[in-house]
Amino acid sequence: MTTERYNAREVEARWQKVWEDKDVFVTQNDDPRQKYYVLEMFPYPSGRIHMGHVRNYAMGDVVARYKRAKGFNVLHPMGWDAFGMPAENAAMQNKVHPRDWTYENIATMRGQLKSMGLSLDWSREFATCDVEYYTQQQRLFLKFLEGGLVYRKKSKVNWDPVDMTVLANEQVIDGRGWRSGALVEQRDLTQWFFKTSDYSEDLLEALETLDRWPEKVRLMQKNWIGRSEGLRVRFAFSEAAPTGDTSLEIFTTRPDTLFGASFMGLSPDHPISVKLAETNPTLKAFIDECRRVGTSEEAIEKAEKKGIDTGLRVKHPLDDGIELPVYVANFILMDYGTGAIFACPAHDQRDLDFARKYGLPVKPVVLPKDADPASFDIGDEAFTDDGSIFNSGFLNGLSIAEAKEAVAAKLESSTLDGHPQASRQVNFRLRDWGISRQRYWGCPIPVVHCDGCGVVPEKDENLPVELPSDIDFEKPGNPLDRHPTWRDTPCPACGKPAKRETDTMDTFVDSSWYFARFTSPRADQPTDPAAATDWLPVDQYIGGIEHAILHLLYSRFFTRAMQKVGALNLKEPFKGLFTQGMVVHETYKSDDGTWLSPAEITLSETDGTRSAVHAVTGKPVTIGSIEKMSKSKKNTIDPTDIIDSYGADTARWFMLSDSPPDRDVIWTEEGVQGAWRFVQRVWRLIGEIAATTDPKAALPADIDDQVLELRRTTHKTLQAVSNDIETLGFNRAIARIYEFVNAISKVANASERGAGGEFGLREAGTILVQMIAPVMPHLAEESWKVLGHRTLVSETAWPEADPDLLVDDTILMPVQINGKKRGDISVSREASKDAIEAATLELDFVKKTLDGQTPKKVIVVPQRIVNVVV
RNA sequence: GCGGACGUGGCGAAACUGGUAGACGCAAGGGACUUAAAAUCCCUCGACUUCGGUCAUACGGGUUCGAGUCCCGUCGUCCGCACCA
């Protein structure tokens, strides 16, 4: 018989239309079946999808299709993270409106995603720049404001001089803007903040409950939140500071080293430093220098520790005979703790570096185990390990933990100026989330500035505060600020003319609750709480590791905040999280140093050495390292090209087949061709089975051994593949399916089919189609039809493995002698340990080795192995 | 510097709670079919070997009847954080 070659292009378009016409993947909220919410991180509409999207969405689609077959009511939506800078950049460069640019990109990318055959409920689609979406976001903002979760404050901010906007700490990477790459400056501005710090403790503690999150991500968040327990201690000034303060409050996690104190340190931004600088030009110059350098560039250059003695002196809280100098030092951060420290150089490297530079005393107070107190000395390295306290009066002999406790207890109960001298405090590295952005293409912050009433929230009935369409991008800075009329609005409180806020929200706000919006995307409130309660948390969330901190932490905060204002009733949005690896590709460079795309070169191989030449000029090309696909290195592959030439199924199959999903996958032309060959192979095999077996073939009572073996393989494979998909082991599932196809082919190609052959092959073919369906849905539908079904495999229940076929009657067990495999023994499944031992000792090769001796020991692990110890 | 993960053939990788190391795929080599090519099918494919075996999961030790898997140390690669007191 002849089978036509599988025509992916024609077949895929056809089935996509069937699914769409029949609303196969539209999800109803009132469907009574158990719900399953699978979500992939929604894309930024940059213009075209890339291979990373293909991989991400292929994984989610496998889960969605599998769970649907398992009988769940599956929610699998898609939308667009559509606000952000690139749209404004495009507007400036190409004179196209950000809105038009964005929606055009969305249209293109929607088409590309549809060509992938994803089982998405497109009826729930939205973009975060849709007025309907950001209206609800403004509503949420106002609820947060009312609930005390939003505030304004003047703060030193990270200013990106290229994008001309403020960046969150998290958006500053190595001192540069995460998007522009420009060196970030420090500026003082009044900004809007979300009170993420209200939830520091809870965000940290609840990480423990996220047992279906990667350990790595939980650890990264834990470190980011950065909880530390310590003591706030006030040191009395010998003479009052110029600010009028009579004491200096510091935060320390090492009160046990208090007797090792050598000096005090103030941040250059500390109020006392600032006040002193007014009359001290040297100090002023120093502070200015610190600000110029900025917190970040310092890190790059590992700036030297520097400081200036203020002349102020404080008294040691445990021994007022000791006076300590107060320095302004460049390494002390204003926004952690109190912006002031006491320095113990012997046990802190930063303090030690500083003390050595300025000749300040270094007194060790923690003695390492087995060290001699008389001779123990600190060199260039601070001692930060465990030990026992010495040189410390009443603390001598205590452990570090005991000494911390003793100091805290003593200073808590002593008073200074009528207040306790110290208090225990838990500090977090996590700051409040600054959300103000001085941009046009974002969600406007719905408040009004009134000369009489101050900052007034816009009234709910006046929402949305809509972005103006007529906008000018000729100049840098915020276009909303210079719009002729948009700012003008009556004050919601007094009705007099007032001005709108021109800051828009950080785009991370948009993505912090979209998963909740999908549960009722057209609701006239941010959420329909009933639908949200039914669907959330997301059962399986899939996305890139690059969002391990920002997006995921913000979403966790937002869920809590929404719970507080009654929009949701849970804390944790994502029950299961999976972070997939990147798609990487070889790089190619011509001899003049420019990058070349895979399409521009020709590869060849001689004697096992691969080489490349320029496809047109024939000039030699250097094959470079394998790197993440990026436009700058030109090592990208356009998914559309692949889908056009091989089909979506091939692309999806290859994306999932080679590497474990959390690891990077290398895109190779050979690999895609392998996947393509497999598509054809399945197609031929199904065609042959369909042509040579009767759908109504019965299962005879006695079946041929080879057929029984095939049936066993079928059901064992089904069992294993199901398990692999459940655990997201797509590469394992695919390897098993390859094996399975090899096994079916063997029977299908056998010169004669034994009894039950038709039934066995039908069964194998049918289950094969069902197993490939989540990964290669189009090929599966087409094959399903060829096998004679009138239904859709997309709407067919997942098959059940027959338990009787999962266990073998006889088991082939390896036999080891002294831990080395020497042969096998075939035993019945029910054989007892003793019987197996006896049978083993009768084996020729065992007898030969034993040579009449009795073995020391025979270890029989049922179903596993026999080990004879001689 | 601190924290974490990982290290298996020419390559991507399998190996569930310690139990036959290298499944499956890619590449490579040989063969069949063909005028030829493509496609397809079959065979070989960790190293050494006196063809009995021996050695092999980064390296060195240890625990165990048995270690890729557990423990200690060394080296290497990757990732996150980075003056957080």
Side-chain angles (χ1 to χ4, degrees):
Chain A
M1 58 154 270
T2 55
T3 313
E4 275 184 38
R5 228 170 134 69
Y6 180 72
N7 182 346
R9 203 197 262 258
E10 182 271 323
V11 170
E12 292 187 353
R14 184 151 43 76
W15 288 110
Q16 283 162 20
K17 185 160 188 317
V18 171
W19 296 328
E20 189 159 344
D21 290 349
K22 293 188 67 182
D23 281 344
V24 174
F25 306 123
V26 174
T27 304
Q28 304 301 334
N29 280 357
D30 57 8
D31 187 315
R33 291 173 303 166
Q34 198 183 338
K35 292 181 161 55
Y36 192 92
Y37 187 177
V38 54
L39 183 68
E40 301 96 65
M41 290 179 183
F42 66 165
Y44 178 79
S46 56
R48 299 185 68 74
I49 64 167
H50 53 69
M51 277 301 168
H53 292 127
V54 174
R55 193 169 189 218
N56 189 191
Y57 300 140
M59 287 178 194
D61 203 44
V62 171
V63 175
R65 286 176 180 272
Y66 171 77
K67 287 289 177 182
R68 220 176 267 115
K70 290 290 275 187
F72 289 86
N73 182 29
V74 171
L75 178 57
H76 187 215
M78 181 57 69
W80 310 94
D81 188 12
F83 273 136
M85 283 297 299
E88 289 191 52
N89 292 337
M92 284 181 261
Q93 284 155 23
N94 310 327
K95 309 253 187 253
V96 53
H97 196 282
R99 178 177 299 128
D100 299 337
W101 183 84
T102 303
Y103 282 107
E104 274 164 30
N105 286 348
I106 287 174
T108 307
M109 291 172 73
R110 184 192 298 117
Q112 290 183 298
L113 290 186
K114 286 195 172 178
S115 74
M116 278 182 67
L118 302 171
S119 66
L120 291 163
D121 180 355
W122 285 103
S123 75
R124 293 176 187 248
E125 177 192 2
F126 59 76
T128 56
C129 65
D130 292 346
V131 179
E132 294 75 20
Y133 184 80
Y134 75 73
T135 302
Q136 300 307 330
Q137 187 160 306
Q138 289 174 343
R139 189 159 275 134
L140 273 178
F141 178 93
L142 293 176
K143 286 186 178 182
F144 287 4
L145 187 61
E146 205 185 326
L149 289 164
V150 187
Y151 67 100
R152 273 178 109 214
K153 74 171 179 197
K154 189 160 190 174
S155 78
K156 203 160 123 175
V157 295
N158 305 303
W159 178 260
D160 185 319
V162 170
D163 284 352
M164 296 193 70
T165 188
V166 164
L167 299 174
N169 289 332
E170 296 88 323
Q171 291 167 342
V172 179
I173 297 151
D174 287 340
R176 291 171 185 274
W178 70 304
R179 216 176 253 282
S180 72
L183 275 176
V184 167
E185 298 167 5
Q186 306 295 310
R187 287 202 184 175
D188 266 325
L189 283 177
T190 302
Q191 301 284 306
W192 288 94
F193 286 85
F194 282 150
K195 288 194 79 176
T196 40
S197 60
D198 270 11
Y199 296 97
S200 305
E201 189 80 61
D202 191 37
L203 288 167
L204 180 69
E205 273 178 15
L207 287 172
E208 300 292 322
T209 67
L210 299 175
D211 56 347
R212 284 186 47 224
W213 278 40
E215 188 56 43
K216 181 188 166 89
V217 174
R218 291 195 287 172
L219 190 69
M220 280 164 73
Q221 293 215 351
K222 186 182 167 200
N223 292 338
W224 189 266
I225 295 167
R227 184 183 194 274
S228 62
E229 287 179 10
L231 202 62
R232 267 175 187 258
V233 186
R234 287 184 304 130
F235 286 57
F237 280 115
S238 301
E239 280 174 56
T243 49
D245 291 300
T246 54
S247 65
L248 175 64
E249 188 169 40
I250 58 97
F251 175 75
T252 181
T253 56
R254 293 297 303 272
D256 54 302
T257 63
L258 205 46
F259 280 104
S262 154
F263 63 96
M264 309 299 287
L266 294 179
S267 163
D269 298 307
H270 195 280
I272 294 177
S273 311
V274 174
K275 184 76 184 170
L276 286 168
E278 289 173 10
T279 54
N280 182 340
T282 320
L283 184 57
K284 182 164 191 335
F286 175 70
I287 292 175
D288 287 348
E289 186 197 319
C290 293
R291 287 196 182 153
R292 257 198 315 282
V293 177
T295 53
S296 31
E297 202 180 356
E298 243 180 302
I300 297 164
E301 297 178 10
K302 292 252 172 207
E304 195 183 0
K305 310 263 174 296
K306 277 192 217 166
I308 287 190
D309 187 350
T310 60
L312 296 171
R313 297 292 179 267
V314 295
K315 286 181 184 153
H316 194 286
L318 295 172
D319 179 355
D320 60 9
I322 303 174
E323 266 201 342
L324 300 167
V326 180
Y327 280 76
V328 175
N330 64 347
F331 65 94
I332 299 163
L333 305 172
M334 187 58 222
D335 50 2
Y336 187 79
T338 64
I341 60 157
F342 88 83
C344 175
H347 305 293
D348 183 292
Q349 192 58 46
R350 296 157 301 181
D351 298 349
L352 183 64
D353 295 345
F354 192 89
R356 291 291 185 227
K357 182 171 169 82
Y358 293 103
L360 294 158
V362 178
K363 175 184 166 191
V365 289
V366 181
L367 187 68
K369 200 168 177 259
D370 304 328
D372 172 19
S375 61
F376 178 62
D377 210 11
I378 301 288
D380 288 333
E381 246 177 79
F383 175 71
T384 53
D385 291 338
D386 205 6
S388 60
I389 307 294
F390 74 128
N391 286 342
S392 295
F394 72 101
L395 301 175
N396 284 344
L398 299 182
S399 70
I400 288 177
E402 288 162 348
K404 281 182 180 173
E405 179 55 36
V407 171
K410 186 169 170 81
L411 293 180
E412 265 178 330
S413 56
S414 62
T415 58
L416 182 65
D417 301 335
H419 299 288
Q421 184 147 23
S423 59
R424 292 173 210 249
Q425 199 195 358
V426 175
N427 236 321
F428 293 92
R429 208 185 82 111
L430 180 69
R431 314 286 155 76
D432 281 336
W433 175 14
I435 58 151
S436 284
R437 297 291 179 273
Q438 288 67 44
R439 305 307 320 168
Y440 166 72
W441 196 233
C443 173
I445 292 176
V447 300
V448 174
H449 299 271
C450 171
D451 286 343
C453 309
V455 177
V456 185
E458 185 55 276
K459 286 185 187 162
D460 186 81
E461 62 262 35
N462 292 342
L463 296 183
V465 175
E466 204 169 331
L467 288 169
S469 291
D470 52 327
I471 202 79
D472 139 50
F473 287 102
E474 296 304 306
K475 293 171 229 154
N478 185 354
L480 289 177
D481 234 1
R482 37 170 211 270
H483 190 280
T485 55
W486 183 77
R487 297 193 64 186
D488 299 320
T489 188
C491 169
C494 68
K496 288 183 192 154
K499 296 279 186 193
R500 290 200 181 285
E501 169 67 64
T502 57
D503 284 354
T504 51
M505 297 183 209
D506 180 2
T507 56
F508 274 108
V509 177
D510 312 336
S511 54
S512 291
W513 70 287
Y514 77 107
F515 48 87
R517 185 72 185 163
F518 276 136
T519 64
S520 52
R522 313 291 171 233
D524 58 5
Q525 290 294 312
T527 59
D528 168 354
T533 302
D534 271 358
W535 282 113
L536 293 172
V538 175
D539 293 283
Q540 185 64 63
Y541 196 35
I542 307 176
I545 185 77
E546 67 272 21
H547 293 111
I549 297 172
L550 303 188
H551 162 60
L552 291 168
L553 194 58
Y554 292 151
S555 298
R556 296 180 63 220
F557 159 74
F558 234 80
T559 305
R560 285 163 171 77
M562 287 173 77
Q563 183 180 38
K564 189 176 179 191
V565 302
L568 290 178
N569 71 346
L570 80 166
K571 300 208 290 200
E572 289 296 339
F574 310 122
K575 189 165 197 219
L577 173 70
F578 188 84
T579 54
Q580 101 268 5
M582 296 182 298
V583 183
V584 295
H585 193 284
E586 252 177 2
T587 52
Y588 311 103
K589 221 174 199 177
S590 62
D591 46 12
D592 62 3
T594 57
W595 298 103
L596 295 169
S597 73
E600 293 172 292
I601 59 128
T602 308
L603 286 166
S604 58
E605 179 164 338
T606 38
D607 302 330
T609 311
R610 297 171 70 240
S611 59
V613 293
H614 193 287
V616 179
T617 65
K619 283 185 181 167
V621 169
T622 311
I623 300 178
S625 56
I626 294 169
E627 295 189 49
K628 180 184 181 175
M629 284 191 181
S630 74
K631 280 178 195 156
S632 60
K633 298 209 168 119
K634 293 183 84 174
N635 62 338
T636 56
I637 301 287
D638 190 330
T640 302
D641 293 346
I642 300 302
I643 292 172
D644 282 350
S645 39
Y646 298 101
D649 285 340
T650 299
R652 292 167 58 128
W653 184 261
F654 176 55
M655 280 287 84
L656 299 181
S657 65
D658 254 25
S659 295
D662 53 345
R663 243 183 264 181
D664 291 350
V665 65
I666 305 171
W667 182 276
T668 60
E669 186 61 23
E670 294 79 10
V672 188
Q673 280 168 3
W676 173 240
R677 277 198 298 271
F678 182 71
V679 168
Q680 297 295 347
R681 202 172 156 209
V682 170
W683 178 240
R684 281 193 309 271
L685 182 62
I686 293 299
E688 191 182 333
I689 289 173
T692 62
T693 65
D694 186 334
K696 293 189 281 295
L699 176 63
D702 275 323
I703 69 170
D704 181 83
D705 280 353
Q706 195 192 27
V707 176
L708 178 61
E709 201 43 51
L710 176 64
R711 292 203 66 212
R712 287 219 164 97
T713 304
T714 302
H715 287 261
K716 283 179 185 170
T717 302
L718 173 58
Q719 176 88 344
V721 166
S722 307
N723 185 52
D724 288 336
I725 296 178
E726 297 270 4
T727 55
L728 310 180
F730 307 118
N731 59 322
R732 289 195 305 266
I734 285 175
R736 289 199 165 102
I737 292 172
Y738 271 117
E739 255 178 302
F740 183 41
V741 168
N742 290 342
I744 305 175
S745 301
K746 215 165 117 190
V747 176
N749 298 336
S751 49
E752 65 186 89
R753 287 178 191 164
E758 276 195 58
F759 180 91
L761 279 172
R762 269 270 153 191
E763 178 184 54
T766 305
I767 289 178
L768 170 65
V769 170
Q770 289 181 279
M771 286 193 300
I772 63 167
V775 188
M776 304 204 285
H778 312 87
L779 174 64
E781 291 290 7
E782 191 71 5
S783 302
W784 195 243
K785 191 173 126 188
V786 166
L787 286 173
H789 296 276
R790 296 286 181 83
T791 54
L792 295 175
V793 71
S794 300
E795 293 185 307
T796 302
W798 195 253
E800 291 277 341
D802 182 344
D804 290 344
L805 292 167
L806 297 179
V807 281
D808 295 318
D809 300 332
T810 56
I811 298 166
L812 194 66
M813 287 171 78
V815 177
Q816 295 181 331
I817 292 170
N818 289 335
K820 282 190 180 160
K821 193 200 163 189
R822 287 296 129 100
D824 297 294
I825 186 167
S826 182
V827 295
S828 109
R829 177 151 49 98
E830 286 88 13
S832 69
K833 275 191 179 188
D834 289 346
I836 295 171
E837 180 173 338
T840 302
L841 294 177
E842 288 307 307
L843 292 167
D844 284 346
F845 63 88
V846 175
K847 276 186 177 165
K848 199 174 151 199
T849 313
L850 282 174
D851 199 21
Q853 299 167 274
T854 11
K856 257 192 207 146
K857 206 169 171 186
V858 179
I859 292 147
V860 178
V861 184
Q863 323 268 318
R864 286 268 180 208
I865 205 162
V866 184
N867 190 7
V868 181
V869 185
V870 184

